[in-house]
PDB file of all heavy atoms in Angstrom:
ATOM      1  N   ASP R 133     139.417  84.252  56.467  1.00  0.00           N
ATOM      2  CA  ASP R 133     138.717  84.439  55.227  1.00  0.00           C
ATOM      3  C   ASP R 133     137.233  84.331  55.435  1.00  0.00           C
ATOM      4  O   ASP R 133     136.773  84.041  56.525  1.00  0.00           O
ATOM      5  CB  ASP R 133     139.255  83.473  54.166  1.00  0.00           C
ATOM      6  CG  ASP R 133     139.536  82.087  54.722  1.00  0.00           C
ATOM      7  OD1 ASP R 133     139.357  81.870  55.923  1.00  0.00           O
ATOM      8  OD2 ASP R 133     140.049  81.216  53.930  1.00  0.00           O
ATOM      9  N   GLY R 134     136.431  84.498  54.411  1.00  0.00           N
ATOM     10  CA  GLY R 134     135.009  84.453  54.598  1.00  0.00           C
ATOM     11  C   GLY R 134     134.434  85.894  54.800  1.00  0.00           C
ATOM     12  O   GLY R 134     135.122  86.789  55.288  1.00  0.00           O
ATOM     13  N   CYS R 135     133.158  85.999  54.470  1.00  0.00           N
ATOM     14  CA  CYS R 135     132.478  87.306  54.559  1.00  0.00           C
ATOM     15  C   CYS R 135     132.082  87.628  55.973  1.00  0.00           C
ATOM     16  O   CYS R 135     131.466  86.782  56.674  1.00  0.00           O
ATOM     17  CB  CYS R 135     131.241  87.215  53.678  1.00  0.00           C
ATOM     18  SG  CYS R 135     130.175  88.720  53.671  1.00  0.00           S
ATOM     19  N   PRO R 136     132.430  88.828  56.500  1.00  0.00           N
ATOM     20  CA  PRO R 136     131.956  89.197  57.868  1.00  0.00           C
ATOM     21  C   PRO R 136     130.498  89.115  57.908  1.00  0.00           C
ATOM     22  O   PRO R 136     129.794  89.563  56.982  1.00  0.00           O
ATOM     23  CB  PRO R 136     132.503  90.587  58.029  1.00  0.00           C
ATOM     24  CG  PRO R 136     133.636  90.749  57.041  1.00  0.00           C
ATOM     25  CD  PRO R 136     133.219  89.835  55.864  1.00  0.00           C
ATOM     26  N   PRO R 137     129.894  88.621  58.997  1.00  0.00           N
ATOM     27  CA  PRO R 137     128.425  88.475  59.067  1.00  0.00           C
ATOM     28  C   PRO R 137     127.654  89.794  58.804  1.00  0.00           C
ATOM     29  O   PRO R 137     126.583  89.703  58.195  1.00  0.00           O
ATOM     30  CB  PRO R 137     128.179  87.979  60.533  1.00  0.00           C
ATOM     31  CG  PRO R 137     129.426  87.269  60.888  1.00  0.00           C
ATOM     32  CD  PRO R 137     130.555  88.007  60.177  1.00  0.00           C
ATOM     33  N   ALA R 138     128.220  90.898  59.145  1.00  0.00           N
ATOM     34  CA  ALA R 138     127.503  92.124  58.916  1.00  0.00           C
ATOM     35  C   ALA R 138     127.329  92.434  57.415  1.00  0.00           C
ATOM     36  O   ALA R 138     126.372  93.106  57.023  1.00  0.00           O
ATOM     37  CB  ALA R 138     128.275  93.348  59.553  1.00  0.00           C
ATOM     38  N   GLU R 139     128.243  91.885  56.593  1.00  0.00           N
ATOM     39  CA  GLU R 139     128.118  92.148  55.189  1.00  0.00           C
ATOM     40  C   GLU R 139     127.420  91.025  54.402  1.00  0.00           C
ATOM     41  O   GLU R 139     127.259  91.057  53.248  1.00  0.00           O
ATOM     42  CB  GLU R 139     129.543  92.359  54.594  1.00  0.00           C
ATOM     43  CG  GLU R 139     130.247  93.611  55.114  1.00  0.00           C
ATOM     44  CD  GLU R 139     131.746  93.565  54.894  1.00  0.00           C
ATOM     45  OE1 GLU R 139     132.212  92.945  53.921  1.00  0.00           O
ATOM     46  OE2 GLU R 139     132.435  94.166  55.741  1.00  0.00           O
ATOM     47  N   TRP R 140     127.041  90.012  55.166  1.00  0.00           N
ATOM     48  CA  TRP R 140     126.471  88.788  54.537  1.00  0.00           C
ATOM     49  C   TRP R 140     125.141  89.000  53.815  1.00  0.00           C
ATOM     50  O   TRP R 140     125.010  88.609  52.700  1.00  0.00           O
ATOM     51  CB  TRP R 140     126.370  87.724  55.645  1.00  0.00           C
ATOM     52  CG  TRP R 140     125.811  86.390  55.174  1.00  0.00           C
ATOM     53  CD1 TRP R 140     124.564  85.883  55.442  1.00  0.00           C
ATOM     54  CD2 TRP R 140     126.479  85.411  54.398  1.00  0.00           C
ATOM     55  NE1 TRP R 140     124.450  84.660  54.865  1.00  0.00           N
ATOM     56  CE2 TRP R 140     125.592  84.336  54.170  1.00  0.00           C
ATOM     57  CE3 TRP R 140     127.731  85.339  53.786  1.00  0.00           C
ATOM     58  CZ2 TRP R 140     125.910  83.204  53.485  1.00  0.00           C
ATOM     59  CZ3 TRP R 140     128.076  84.175  53.052  1.00  0.00           C
ATOM     60  CH2 TRP R 140     127.189  83.135  52.918  1.00  0.00           C
ATOM     61  N   PRO R 141     124.213  89.718  54.501  1.00  0.00           N
ATOM     62  CA  PRO R 141     122.891  89.927  53.765  1.00  0.00           C
ATOM     63  C   PRO R 141     123.088  90.607  52.424  1.00  0.00           C
ATOM     64  O   PRO R 141     122.457  90.242  51.420  1.00  0.00           O
ATOM     65  CB  PRO R 141     122.088  90.771  54.756  1.00  0.00           C
ATOM     66  CG  PRO R 141     122.660  90.459  56.089  1.00  0.00           C
ATOM     67  CD  PRO R 141     124.148  90.266  55.847  1.00  0.00           C
ATOM     68  N   ALA R 142     123.991  91.630  52.372  1.00  0.00           N
ATOM     69  CA  ALA R 142     124.236  92.323  51.133  1.00  0.00           C
ATOM     70  C   ALA R 142     124.845  91.405  50.066  1.00  0.00           C
ATOM     71  O   ALA R 142     124.475  91.432  48.911  1.00  0.00           O
ATOM     72  CB  ALA R 142     125.120  93.524  51.354  1.00  0.00           C
ATOM     73  N   LEU R 143     125.792  90.535  50.546  1.00  0.00           N
ATOM     74  CA  LEU R 143     126.400  89.601  49.647  1.00  0.00           C
ATOM     75  C   LEU R 143     125.359  88.663  49.012  1.00  0.00           C
ATOM     76  O   LEU R 143     125.364  88.286  47.838  1.00  0.00           O
ATOM     77  CB  LEU R 143     127.531  88.846  50.336  1.00  0.00           C
ATOM     78  CG  LEU R 143     128.295  87.866  49.429  1.00  0.00           C
ATOM     79  CD1 LEU R 143     128.962  88.557  48.249  1.00  0.00           C
ATOM     80  CD2 LEU R 143     129.318  87.059  50.280  1.00  0.00           C
ATOM     81  N   CYS R 144     124.468  88.169  49.928  1.00  0.00           N
ATOM     82  CA  CYS R 144     123.429  87.242  49.441  1.00  0.00           C
ATOM     83  C   CYS R 144     122.523  87.939  48.387  1.00  0.00           C
ATOM     84  O   CYS R 144     122.157  87.347  47.382  1.00  0.00           O
ATOM     85  CB  CYS R 144     122.569  86.777  50.619  1.00  0.00           C
ATOM     86  SG  CYS R 144     123.416  85.638  51.688  1.00  0.00           S
TER      87      CYS R 144
END
Side-chain angles (χ1 to χ4, degrees):
D133 38 3
C135 177
E139 295 162 29
W140 180 253
L143 180 62
C144 289

